Amino acid sequence: MSASLQIFLCIALLILAAKLCGAAMARIGLPLVLGELLAGVLLGPTFINIWRFQWFSVSGPARVSVVAVFKVLADIGVVLLMFLAGLETDVDMMRSAVAPAFWAATGGVILPMVGGAVLAHAAGYSWQHAIFIGTILTATSVTITAQTLMNLKQLQSKAGSTILGAAVIDDVLGLIVLSVVIALAPSFAHSGAASWRGLAVTLGRMVLCLALLGFVGPPFVRWVFRRAERLHGSHTEVSAALVIAFLFAFQAEWFGGMAAITGSYLAGLFVAGTPAHRCVLDDIQPMINSFFGPLFFVSIGLEVDILQLSGHVEFFVALLLVAIVGKIIGCGLGSRFTGFSWRESLIVGVGMIPRGEVGLITASLGFAAGVVTRDVYVQVVVVVLLSTLITPGLLCFAFPRSSLAGEVLSSGAMELQRLDTAVDKMADA
Amino acid sequence: MSASLQIFLCIALLILAAKLCGAAMARIGLPLVLGELLAGVLLGPTFINIWRFQWFSVSGPARVSVVAVFKVLADIGVVLLMFLAGLETDVDMMRSAVAPAFWAATGGVILPMVGGAVLAHAAGYSWQHAIFIGTILTATSVTITAQTLMNLKQLQSKAGSTILGAAVIDDVLGLIVLSVVIALAPSFAHSGAASWRGLAVTLGRMVLCLALLGFVGPPFVRWVFRRAERLHGSHTEVSAALVIAFLFAFQAEWFGGMAAITGSYLAGLFVAGTPAHRCVLDDIQPMINSFFGPLFFVSIGLEVDILQLSGHVEFFVALLLVAIVGKIIGCGLGSRFTGFSWRESLIVGVGMIPRGEVGLITASLGFAAGVVTRDVYVQVVVVVLLSTLITPGLLCFAFPRSSLAGEVLSSGAMELQRLDTAVDKMADA
């Protein structure tokens, strides 16, 4: 079987599994992403282990491994997902809720990072590895937080919009920390603290690249879209957006030595400021939600071998506690500092627990670069899964009863209406 | 540089080149697809030869060749393009104009096929190779024909709708011929006419597969979409459509021994008959037009080395003449047979000249399977390019002056309005 034929089968199976598991999770009120991750875990080495099937073994004259090609597809997916995250960032809201969101985010980055690093170092990892493990614990996912808040009908509350703003700032902070850590990683790994010159060059390139992207980026993107919309052809705006996303991603990693996703996230932010914003968003969402997104989330799950958790249970439990308590205390204190009540601060802290795309991407980058070993990688991915899993329940506890009564009623009413529609459809058929 | 990073750069460059060349062609009234093909030719071995750059050389621990990965991306593109072609097929129009369209299509398949095969055999190719070369010359492109007719504002004329219907039937006939030829190819190649048993098994599998797809396919697709629309999640319909397209493509090639595109074309046809048709079409078009389509068309152009035409000029010119004259006479006689005037028949014949996606896909399948040598491949791709290039001009000659006067005026008015809008925009800026 040719590599292409193998990939056709692989795409069909993985998208099917992702969407079915996603729907199953959504049905019981949990985020879709969690289901797509679990689909990967199910198909991965712990249970089914699809790559062992003869259908996916290397064959044909080209001798291209379907696993390698699939990894590239997943990497294209990451770039597009982070581009979408940038595109969906509400820059205005970010500005208005900036003070409480900023302090909540900062607290929620520092505490898990320091806690994770200290814990990992105490467990015997080198400082470089320990700091990277801490970094993975910093990033809250906008997607998962927003979905949880929507489930609870609290998206527009004071705590809700602070959580959303903080999640965005958190993503940006997380990316900056990640970029610095990755940029510094080679100097750390190969020459220790001795090569100050190498470190300066690395940092200089990163700053230059960020400055270039930050100052030249926005006018460049606006210029491209002014040209693109006058260009003959179909969907030229989306094409322009894709070209910019991949070019920025390439440039961030190749020239700046940062993560490629930093580039595509910035590309998304800049495109969000152009008039083509709406059109690009509408056209690019189906592509990501139906194809590249599921493939990426399944690919993360596929890397996880839960059996490897055994023998590291104490470290794993400690890591999970740092991830949860670090966010609750860090974000909570941050919002309390700007005048929130204790309960509101608790809500913000709990709402910031779920890790998501950025954490997973960070972990997989570290794994690919060899900064994170396979067993730490597995533990971190399971921590991300669990942090997502517990948040909806914890948030229900954190919100005052009264504000949730309406939610429970309205969700009950929705469920009734859903059943009603289903019965109607069955009657029609 | 990792394979993923190379692919990011490759995607950005190729989409950019495709869209710019497409827009340039559209500006002078030629089909976009032609520009995307030419972009590939420009970047290919004849001129720039991008794969020779050090940026795209194999590196990294995974040792995945960026060229191999890019080929898989292009193959995913073909499956999606043919799925889209199926999805856009107007089954009702196909039924109403069925008689003239059927005869025009049949004439236009038989003449170029027989002419091409006889010519190739006379030039010294084996009958197997000769028949395949004939097969490549059969398929008219719906896309290019429709675009040319729209340019000429003749899409709704009697000749226009016959051309469109015939182009669809032509695609189906071409796919059937292609499937038969590919299904028979291994028996031909390895064991000659001796293995009648192998031939019977091959044909049996193909018929079984087509019967399975044809009878079980439509109710299966309807069942899937009834389920998908009730599934929790975003863009579940598009995901369902993608799963079906790739599953059918896999099934057609793996079980039926046919071309994978036959499967995805049928998947598109069946999805077109479901209520989700519009939604899938809207969501899948941006993905194909902005990403997979350009990558596929550029990949075709990238294979072409025009320098290899030298030394085969007579054969090439003869092939081109067969491709053009075969369609004009074949389709023309077919429509004359159902009562069209000579001029109308000429218009139908000329309108059917442009080869397109299916021809290119057929050629690249034959090339990959070793049924077509590289120099024949190059000649055929150039024939496809030229057939597309000359059609708009020939059609202008074929249509009576009076019916085109309005077109020229209205296109002039449109151009004026475009300039006007551009000036307004510049004034705003």
Side-chain angles (χ1 to χ4, degrees), chain A residues 1 4-5 8-9 11-12 15 19 23 26 32 55 64 68-69 72 75-76 79 229 231-235 239 242-243 246-247 250 254 283 286-287 289-291, chain B residues 1 4-5 8-9 11-12 15 19 23 26 32 55 64 68-69 72 75-76 79 231-235 239 242-243 246-247 250 254 283 286-287 289-291 425:
Chain A
M1 231 175 355
S4 296
L5 205 54
F8 297 162
L9 183 64
I11 290 175
I15 293 183
K19 285 289 166 178
L32 282 164
W55 270 347
V64 187
V69 174
V72 174
D75 283 345
I76 296 176
V79 167
E229 70 178 17
L231 215 59
H232 284 80
S234 53
H235 300 98
S239 286
L242 291 173
V243 169
F246 285 106
L247 219 53
F250 174 78
W254 179 73
D283 281 350
M287 177 168 166
N289 288 337
S290 70
F291 189 83
Chain B
M1 228 174 357
S4 296
L5 205 55
F8 298 163
L9 183 64
I11 290 174
I15 293 182
K19 284 290 165 181
L32 284 163
W55 271 347
V64 187
V69 174
V72 175
D75 283 345
I76 296 177
V79 167
L231 215 59
H232 284 79
S234 53
H235 299 98
S239 286
L242 291 173
V243 170
F246 285 106
L247 219 52
F250 174 78
W254 179 73
D283 281 350
M287 176 166 166
N289 288 336
S290 69
F291 189 83
K425 268 188 194 144

Coordinates of all heavy atoms in Angstrom, one line a residue, chain A residues 1 4-5 8-9 11-12 15 19 23 26 32 55 64 68-69 72 75-76 79 229 231-235 239 242-243 246-247 250 254 283 286-287 289-291, chain B residues 1 4-5 8-9 11-12 15 19 23 26 32 55 64 68-69 72 75-76 79 231-235 239 242-243 246-247 250 254 283 286-287 289-291 425:
Chain A
M1 N 0.8 -1.2 0.0 CA 0.0 0.0 0.0 C 0.9 1.3 0.0 O 1.8 1.3 0.8 CB -0.9 0.0 1.2 CG -2.3 0.2 0.9 SD -3.5 0.1 2.2 CE -2.7 -0.5 3.6
S4 N 0.3 7.3 0.6 CA -0.9 8.1 0.5 C -2.2 7.3 0.9 O -3.1 7.8 1.6 CB -1.1 8.6 -1.0 OG 0.0 9.5 -1.3
L5 N -2.3 6.1 0.4 CA -3.4 5.2 0.7 C -3.5 5.0 2.2 O -4.6 5.0 2.8 CB -3.3 3.9 -0.1 CG -4.6 3.2 -0.4 CD1 -5.6 4.1 -1.1 CD2 -4.4 2.0 -1.2
F8 N -4.9 8.1 3.8 CA -6.3 8.2 3.6 C -7.1 7.4 4.7 O -8.0 7.9 5.3 CB -6.8 7.7 2.2 CG -6.2 8.4 1.1 CD1 -6.2 7.8 -0.2 CD2 -5.7 9.6 1.2 CE1 -5.7 8.5 -1.3 CE2 -5.1 10.3 0.1 CZ -5.1 9.7 -1.1
L9 N -6.6 6.2 4.9 CA -7.3 5.3 5.9 C -7.1 5.9 7.3 O -8.0 6.0 8.1 CB -6.7 3.9 5.9 CG -7.4 2.9 6.8 CD1 -8.8 2.7 6.5 CD2 -6.6 1.6 6.8
I11 N -6.5 9.1 8.2 CA -7.2 10.3 8.4 C -8.7 9.9 8.7 O -9.3 10.4 9.6 CB -7.2 11.2 7.1 CG1 -5.8 11.8 6.9 CG2 -8.2 12.3 7.1 CD1 -5.6 12.5 5.6
A12 N -9.3 9.0 7.9 CA -10.7 8.6 8.1 C -10.9 8.1 9.5 O -11.8 8.5 10.2 CB -11.1 7.6 7.0
I15 N -10.2 10.9 12.4 CA -11.2 11.9 12.5 C -12.5 11.3 13.0 O -13.1 11.9 13.9 CB -11.5 12.6 11.1 CG1 -10.2 13.4 10.7 CG2 -12.7 13.6 11.2 CD1 -10.4 14.2 9.4
K19 N -14.1 12.6 16.5 CA -15.4 13.3 16.6 C -16.4 12.5 17.4 O -17.2 13.1 18.2 CB -16.0 13.4 15.2 CG -15.3 14.6 14.4 CD -15.7 15.9 14.9 CE -14.8 17.0 14.4 NZ -15.2 18.3 14.9
A23 N -17.9 14.0 20.8 CA -19.3 14.1 21.0 C -19.8 13.5 22.3 O -20.7 14.0 23.0 CB -20.1 13.5 19.8
A26 N -18.9 15.8 25.1 CA -19.8 17.0 25.1 C -21.2 16.6 25.6 O -21.8 17.4 26.3 CB -19.9 17.5 23.6
L32 N -15.1 19.2 24.3 CA -14.9 18.3 23.1 C -13.4 17.9 23.0 O -13.1 16.7 22.7 CB -15.2 19.1 21.9 CG -16.6 19.3 21.4 CD1 -16.7 20.4 20.4 CD2 -17.2 18.0 20.9
W55 N -1.5 -2.7 8.1 CA -2.0 -1.7 7.2 C -1.1 -0.4 7.2 O -1.1 0.4 6.3 CB -3.4 -1.3 7.5 CG -4.4 -2.1 6.8 CD1 -4.2 -2.9 5.8 CD2 -5.8 -2.1 7.1 NE1 -5.4 -3.5 5.4 CE2 -6.4 -3.0 6.1 CE3 -6.7 -1.5 8.0 CZ2 -7.7 -3.3 6.1 CZ3 -8.0 -1.8 8.0 CH2 -8.5 -2.7 7.0
V64 N 8.1 5.8 2.7 CA 7.7 6.9 3.6 C 6.9 6.3 4.7 O 5.9 5.6 4.5 CB 6.9 8.0 2.9 CG1 6.7 9.2 3.8 CG2 7.6 8.4 1.6
A68 N 5.5 9.2 10.3 CA 6.2 10.4 10.1 C 5.4 11.4 9.3 O 5.3 12.6 9.7 CB 7.5 10.2 9.3
V69 N 4.7 11.0 8.3 CA 3.8 11.9 7.5 C 2.7 12.4 8.4 O 2.4 13.6 8.4 CB 3.2 11.2 6.3 CG1 2.2 12.1 5.6 CG2 4.3 10.8 5.3
V72 N 3.8 15.2 10.6 CA 3.9 16.5 9.9 C 2.5 17.1 9.7 O 2.3 18.3 10.0 CB 4.6 16.3 8.5 CG1 4.5 17.6 7.7 CG2 6.0 15.9 8.6
D75 N 1.7 18.6 12.9 CA 2.4 19.9 13.1 C 1.8 21.0 12.3 O 1.8 22.2 12.8 CB 3.9 19.7 12.7 CG 4.7 19.0 13.7 OD1 4.2 18.8 14.9 OD2 5.8 18.5 13.4
I76 N 1.3 20.7 11.1 CA 0.6 21.8 10.3 C -0.7 22.2 11.2 O -1.0 23.3 11.2 CB 0.2 21.2 9.0 CG1 1.4 20.9 8.1 CG2 -0.8 22.2 8.2 CD1 1.1 20.3 6.8
V79 N 0.2 24.7 14.0 CA 0.4 26.1 13.5 C -1.0 26.7 13.2 O -1.2 27.8 13.6 CB 1.2 26.0 12.2 CG1 1.2 27.4 11.5 CG2 2.7 25.7 12.5
E229 N -7.3 41.2 -1.3 CA -8.7 41.4 -1.6 C -8.9 41.9 -3.0 O -10.0 41.7 -3.6 CB -9.4 42.2 -0.6 CG -9.0 43.7 -0.6 CD -9.8 44.5 0.4 OE1 -10.4 43.9 1.3 OE2 -9.9 45.7 0.2
L231 N -7.0 40.8 -5.5 CA -6.5 39.8 -6.4 C -7.6 39.0 -7.0 O -8.6 38.6 -6.3 CB -5.6 38.9 -5.5 CG -4.4 38.2 -6.2 CD1 -3.4 39.3 -6.6 CD2 -3.7 37.3 -5.2
H232 N -7.5 38.7 -8.3 CA -8.5 37.7 -8.9 C -8.3 36.4 -8.3 O -7.2 35.9 -8.0 CB -8.2 37.6 -10.4 CG -8.7 38.8 -11.2 ND1 -8.0 39.9 -11.3 CD2 -9.8 39.0 -11.9 CE1 -8.6 40.8 -12.1 NE2 -9.7 40.2 -12.5
G233 N -9.4 35.7 -8.1 CA -9.3 34.3 -7.6 C -10.3 34.0 -6.5 O -10.9 35.0 -6.0
S234 N -10.4 32.8 -6.1 CA -11.3 32.4 -5.0 C -10.6 32.2 -3.7 O -9.5 31.7 -3.7 CB -12.1 31.1 -5.4 OG -11.2 30.1 -5.7
H235 N -11.2 32.7 -2.6 CA -10.7 32.6 -1.3 C -9.2 33.1 -1.2 O -8.4 32.5 -0.6 CB -10.7 31.1 -0.8 CG -12.2 30.6 -0.8 ND1 -12.7 29.9 -1.8 CD2 -13.1 30.8 0.1 CE1 -14.0 29.6 -1.5 NE2 -14.2 30.1 -0.3
S239 N -6.1 32.3 1.7 CA -4.8 31.9 1.2 C -3.7 32.8 1.7 O -2.7 32.4 2.2 CB -4.8 31.9 -0.3 OG -5.5 30.8 -0.9
L242 N -3.1 32.0 5.3 CA -2.3 30.8 5.5 C -0.9 31.0 5.2 O 0.0 30.6 5.9 CB -2.9 29.7 4.6 CG -4.2 29.1 4.9 CD1 -4.7 28.2 3.9 CD2 -4.2 28.5 6.3
V243 N -0.6 31.8 4.1 CA 0.8 32.1 3.7 C 1.5 32.9 4.9 O 2.6 32.5 5.3 CB 0.8 32.9 2.4 CG1 2.2 33.5 2.2 CG2 0.4 32.1 1.2
F246 N 2.1 30.5 8.0 CA 3.2 29.5 7.8 C 4.6 30.3 7.7 O 5.6 29.8 8.2 CB 3.0 28.6 6.6 CG 2.0 27.5 6.9 CD1 0.7 27.6 6.4 CD2 2.3 26.5 7.8 CE1 -0.3 26.6 6.7 CE2 1.3 25.5 8.1 CZ 0.1 25.6 7.5
L247 N 4.5 31.4 7.1 CA 5.8 32.2 6.9 C 6.2 32.7 8.3 O 7.4 32.6 8.6 CB 5.5 33.4 6.0 CG 6.6 33.8 5.0 CD1 7.0 32.6 4.2 CD2 6.1 34.9 4.1
F250 N 7.5 29.8 10.3 CA 8.9 29.4 9.8 C 9.9 30.4 10.4 O 11.0 30.0 10.9 CB 8.9 29.4 8.3 CG 10.2 29.1 7.7 CD1 10.8 27.9 7.7 CD2 11.0 30.2 7.2 CE1 12.0 27.6 7.2 CE2 12.3 30.0 6.7 CZ 12.8 28.7 6.7
W254 N 13.0 29.5 12.6 CA 14.3 29.4 11.8 C 15.2 30.5 12.2 O 16.4 30.4 12.4 CB 13.9 29.4 10.3 CG 15.1 29.3 9.5 CD1 16.0 28.3 9.2 CD2 15.7 30.4 8.7 NE1 17.0 28.6 8.4 CE2 16.8 29.9 8.0 CE3 15.3 31.7 8.5 CZ2 17.6 30.7 7.2 CZ3 16.1 32.5 7.6 CH2 17.2 32.0 7.0
D283 N -13.8 31.1 7.2 CA -13.3 30.1 6.2 C -12.3 29.2 6.8 O -12.2 28.0 6.3 CB -12.7 30.9 5.0 CG -13.8 31.4 4.1 OD1 -14.9 31.0 4.3 OD2 -13.4 32.2 3.2
P286 N -13.8 25.8 9.7 CA -14.2 24.5 9.4 C -13.0 23.6 9.1 O -12.9 22.4 9.5 CB -15.0 24.7 8.1 CG -15.4 26.1 8.0 CD -14.4 26.9 8.8
M287 N -12.0 24.2 8.4 CA -10.8 23.5 8.0 C -10.1 22.9 9.3 O -9.6 21.8 9.3 CB -9.9 24.5 7.3 CG -8.6 24.0 6.9 SD -8.0 25.3 5.8 CE -6.3 24.9 5.6
N289 N -11.5 22.8 12.6 CA -12.4 22.0 13.5 C -12.6 20.6 12.9 O -12.9 19.7 13.6 CB -13.7 22.7 13.7 CG -13.5 23.9 14.6 OD1 -12.6 24.0 15.4 ND2 -14.4 24.9 14.5
S290 N -12.7 20.5 11.6 CA -13.1 19.2 11.0 C -11.9 18.4 10.6 O -12.0 17.2 10.5 CB -14.0 19.5 9.8 OG -13.2 20.0 8.7
F291 N -10.7 19.0 10.4 CA -9.6 18.2 9.8 C -8.4 18.3 10.7 O -8.0 17.4 11.4 CB -9.3 18.7 8.4 CG -8.4 17.8 7.6 CD1 -8.8 16.7 7.0 CD2 -7.0 18.2 7.5 CE1 -7.9 15.9 6.3 CE2 -6.1 17.4 6.8 CZ -6.6 16.2 6.2
Chain B
M1 N 17.2 21.5 9.8 CA 15.8 21.9 9.9 C 14.9 20.6 9.9 O 15.1 19.7 9.1 CB 15.5 22.8 8.7 CG 14.7 24.0 9.1 SD 14.4 25.2 7.8 CE 15.2 24.7 6.3
S4 N 8.9 19.2 9.4 CA 7.8 20.1 9.6 C 8.1 21.5 9.2 O 7.3 22.2 8.5 CB 7.3 20.0 11.0 OG 6.8 18.7 11.3
L5 N 9.3 22.0 9.7 CA 9.7 23.4 9.4 C 9.8 23.6 7.9 O 9.5 24.6 7.3 CB 11.0 23.7 10.1 CG 11.2 25.2 10.4 CD1 10.1 25.8 11.2 CD2 12.5 25.3 11.2
F8 N 6.4 23.9 6.4 CA 5.8 25.2 6.6 C 6.3 26.2 5.5 O 5.5 26.9 4.9 CB 6.2 25.8 7.9 CG 5.8 25.0 9.1 CD1 6.3 25.2 10.4 CD2 4.8 24.0 9.0 CE1 5.9 24.4 11.5 CE2 4.3 23.3 10.1 CZ 4.9 23.5 11.3
L9 N 7.6 26.2 5.2 CA 8.2 27.1 4.2 C 7.6 26.8 2.9 O 7.2 27.6 2.1 CB 9.7 27.1 4.3 CG 10.4 28.0 3.3 CD1 10.1 29.5 3.7 CD2 11.9 27.8 3.3
I11 N 4.9 25.1 2.1 CA 3.4 25.5 1.9 C 3.3 27.0 1.6 O 2.6 27.4 0.7 CB 2.7 25.1 3.2 CG1 2.5 23.6 3.3 CG2 1.3 25.8 3.2 CD1 1.9 23.2 4.7
A12 N 4.0 27.8 2.4 CA 3.8 29.3 2.3 C 4.3 29.7 0.9 O 3.6 30.4 0.2 CB 4.7 30.0 3.3
I15 N 1.8 28.1 -2.0 CA 0.5 28.8 -2.1 C 0.6 30.2 -2.6 O -0.2 30.6 -3.5 CB -0.2 28.8 -0.7 CG1 -0.6 27.3 -0.3 CG2 -1.5 29.6 -0.7 CD1 -1.3 27.2 1.0
K19 N -1.3 31.4 -6.0 CA -2.3 32.4 -6.0 C -1.9 33.6 -6.9 O -2.8 34.1 -7.6 CB -2.6 32.8 -4.6 CG -3.4 31.8 -3.8 CD -4.9 31.8 -4.4 CE -5.6 30.5 -3.9 NZ -7.0 30.5 -4.4
A23 N -3.9 34.6 -10.2 CA -4.5 35.9 -10.3 C -4.1 36.5 -11.6 O -4.9 37.2 -12.3 CB -4.2 36.8 -9.1
A26 N -6.1 35.0 -14.4 CA -7.5 35.4 -14.3 C -7.6 36.9 -14.9 O -8.6 37.2 -15.5 CB -8.0 35.3 -12.9
L32 N -8.0 30.3 -13.7 CA -7.1 30.3 -12.5 C -6.1 29.1 -12.5 O -5.0 29.2 -12.2 CB -7.9 30.3 -11.2 CG -8.6 31.6 -10.8 CD1 -9.6 31.3 -9.7 CD2 -7.5 32.5 -10.2
W55 N 17.5 24.3 1.7 CA 16.4 24.4 2.7 C 15.5 23.2 2.7 O 14.9 22.9 3.6 CB 15.6 25.7 2.4 CG 16.1 26.9 3.1 CD1 17.0 26.9 4.2 CD2 15.6 28.2 2.9 NE1 17.1 28.2 4.6 CE2 16.3 29.0 3.8 CE3 14.7 28.8 2.0 CZ2 16.2 30.4 3.9 CZ3 14.6 30.2 2.1 CH2 15.3 31.0 3.0
V64 N 12.8 12.4 7.1 CA 11.6 12.4 6.2 C 11.9 13.4 5.1 O 12.2 14.5 5.3 CB 10.4 12.8 7.0 CG1 9.2 12.6 6.1 CG2 10.2 12.0 8.2
A68 N 8.6 13.9 -0.4 CA 7.7 12.8 -0.2 C 6.5 13.2 0.6 O 5.3 12.9 0.3 CB 8.4 11.6 0.5
V69 N 6.7 14.0 1.7 CA 5.6 14.5 2.5 C 4.7 15.4 1.6 O 3.4 15.3 1.7 CB 6.1 15.3 3.7 CG1 4.9 15.9 4.5 CG2 6.8 14.3 4.6
V72 N 2.4 13.5 -0.5 CA 1.2 13.0 0.2 C 0.2 14.1 0.4 O -1.0 13.8 0.2 CB 1.6 12.4 1.6 CG1 0.4 12.0 2.4 CG2 2.5 11.2 1.4
D75 N -1.6 14.4 -2.8 CA -2.6 13.3 -2.9 C -3.9 13.5 -2.1 O -5.0 13.2 -2.6 CB -1.9 12.0 -2.5 CG -1.0 11.5 -3.6 OD1 -1.1 12.0 -4.8 OD2 -0.2 10.6 -3.4
I76 N -3.7 14.0 -0.9 CA -4.9 14.4 -0.1 C -5.7 15.4 -0.9 O -6.9 15.3 -0.9 CB -4.5 14.9 1.3 CG1 -3.7 13.8 2.1 CG2 -5.7 15.4 2.1 CD1 -3.2 14.3 3.4
V79 N -7.9 13.8 -3.7 CA -9.1 13.2 -3.1 C -10.1 14.3 -2.8 O -11.3 14.1 -3.2 CB -8.7 12.4 -1.9 CG1 -10.0 12.0 -1.1 CG2 -7.9 11.1 -2.2
L231 N -25.0 14.9 16.3 CA -23.8 14.8 17.1 C -23.4 16.1 17.8 O -23.4 17.1 17.1 CB -22.7 14.3 16.2 CG -21.6 13.3 16.8 CD1 -22.4 12.0 17.3 CD2 -20.6 12.9 15.8
H232 N -23.0 16.1 19.0 CA -22.4 17.3 19.7 C -21.1 17.6 19.0 O -20.4 16.7 18.7 CB -22.2 17.0 21.2 CG -23.4 17.1 22.0 ND1 -24.3 16.0 22.1 CD2 -24.0 18.0 22.8 CE1 -25.3 16.3 22.9 NE2 -25.1 17.5 23.3
G233 N -20.8 18.9 18.9 CA -19.5 19.2 18.3 C -19.6 20.2 17.2 O -20.7 20.6 16.8
S234 N -18.5 20.8 16.8 CA -18.5 21.8 15.8 C -18.1 21.2 14.5 O -17.2 20.3 14.4 CB -17.5 22.9 16.2 OG -16.3 22.4 16.4
H235 N -18.8 21.6 13.4 CA -18.5 21.2 12.0 C -18.5 19.7 11.9 O -17.7 19.1 11.2 CB -17.2 21.8 11.6 CG -17.1 23.2 11.5 ND1 -16.6 24.0 12.5 CD2 -17.6 24.1 10.6 CE1 -16.8 25.3 12.2 NE2 -17.4 25.4 11.1
S239 N -16.8 17.1 9.0 CA -16.0 15.9 9.4 C -16.5 14.6 8.9 O -15.8 13.8 8.3 CB -15.9 15.8 10.9 OG -15.1 16.9 11.5
L242 N -15.6 14.4 5.2 CA -14.2 14.0 5.0 C -14.0 12.5 5.3 O -13.3 11.9 4.6 CB -13.4 14.9 5.9 CG -13.3 16.4 5.6 CD1 -12.5 17.1 6.7 CD2 -12.7 16.6 4.2
V243 N -14.6 12.1 6.4 CA -14.4 10.6 6.7 C -14.9 9.8 5.6 O -14.3 8.8 5.1 CB -15.1 10.3 8.0 CG1 -15.2 8.8 8.3 CG2 -14.5 10.9 9.2
F246 N -12.6 10.0 2.4 CA -11.3 9.3 2.5 C -11.5 7.8 2.6 O -10.8 7.0 2.1 CB -10.5 9.8 3.7 CG -9.8 11.1 3.4 CD1 -10.3 12.3 4.0 CD2 -8.7 11.2 2.5 CE1 -9.7 13.5 3.7 CE2 -8.1 12.4 2.2 CZ -8.6 13.5 2.8
L247 N -12.6 7.4 3.3 CA -13.0 5.9 3.4 C -13.3 5.4 2.0 O -12.8 4.3 1.7 CB -14.1 5.8 4.4 CG -14.1 4.6 5.3 CD1 -12.8 4.6 6.1 CD2 -15.3 4.7 6.3
F250 N -10.2 5.1 -0.1 CA -9.4 4.0 0.3 C -10.0 2.7 -0.2 O -9.3 1.9 -0.8 CB -9.3 4.0 1.9 CG -8.6 2.7 2.4 CD1 -7.2 2.7 2.4 CD2 -9.3 1.7 2.9 CE1 -6.6 1.5 2.8 CE2 -8.7 0.6 3.4 CZ -7.3 0.5 3.4
W254 N -8.1 0.1 -2.5 CA -7.6 -1.0 -1.8 C -8.4 -2.3 -2.1 O -7.9 -3.3 -2.4 CB -7.7 -0.8 -0.3 CG -7.2 -1.9 0.5 CD1 -5.9 -2.3 0.7 CD2 -8.0 -2.8 1.3 NE1 -5.9 -3.4 1.5 CE2 -7.1 -3.7 1.9 CE3 -9.4 -2.8 1.6 CZ2 -7.6 -4.7 2.8 CZ3 -9.8 -3.8 2.4 CH2 -9.0 -4.8 3.0
D283 N -18.4 24.8 3.6 CA -17.3 24.7 4.6 C -16.0 24.0 3.9 O -14.9 24.3 4.4 CB -17.7 23.8 5.8 CG -18.5 24.6 6.7 OD1 -18.6 25.8 6.6 OD2 -19.1 24.0 7.7
P286 N -13.5 26.6 1.0 CA -12.3 27.4 1.4 C -11.0 26.6 1.6 O -9.9 26.9 1.1 CB -12.7 28.1 2.7 CG -14.2 27.9 2.8 CD -14.6 26.8 1.9
M287 N -11.2 25.4 2.3 CA -10.2 24.5 2.5 C -9.5 24.0 1.3 O -8.2 23.9 1.2 CB -10.8 23.3 3.3 CG -9.9 22.2 3.6 SD -10.9 21.2 4.8 CE -10.0 19.7 4.8
N289 N -9.9 25.5 -2.0 CA -9.5 26.6 -2.8 C -8.2 27.3 -2.3 O -7.4 27.8 -3.1 CB -10.6 27.6 -3.0 CG -11.7 27.0 -3.9 OD1 -11.4 26.1 -4.7 ND2 -12.9 27.6 -3.8
S290 N -8.1 27.3 -1.0 CA -7.0 28.1 -0.4 C -5.8 27.2 -0.1 O -4.7 27.8 0.0 CB -7.5 28.8 0.8 OG -7.7 27.9 1.9
F291 N -6.0 25.9 0.1 CA -4.9 25.1 0.6 C -4.6 23.9 -0.2 O -3.6 23.9 -1.0 CB -5.2 24.7 2.1 CG -4.0 24.0 2.8 CD1 -3.1 24.8 3.4 CD2 -3.9 22.7 2.9 CE1 -2.0 24.2 4.1 CE2 -2.9 22.1 3.5 CZ -1.9 22.8 4.1
K425 N -11.2 53.1 -3.2 CA -10.4 52.5 -2.1 C -9.2 53.3 -1.8 O -8.8 53.6 -0.7 CB -10.1 51.1 -2.4 CG -11.2 50.1 -1.9 CD -10.7 48.7 -2.0 CE -11.9 47.8 -1.8 NZ -11.8 46.6 -2.7

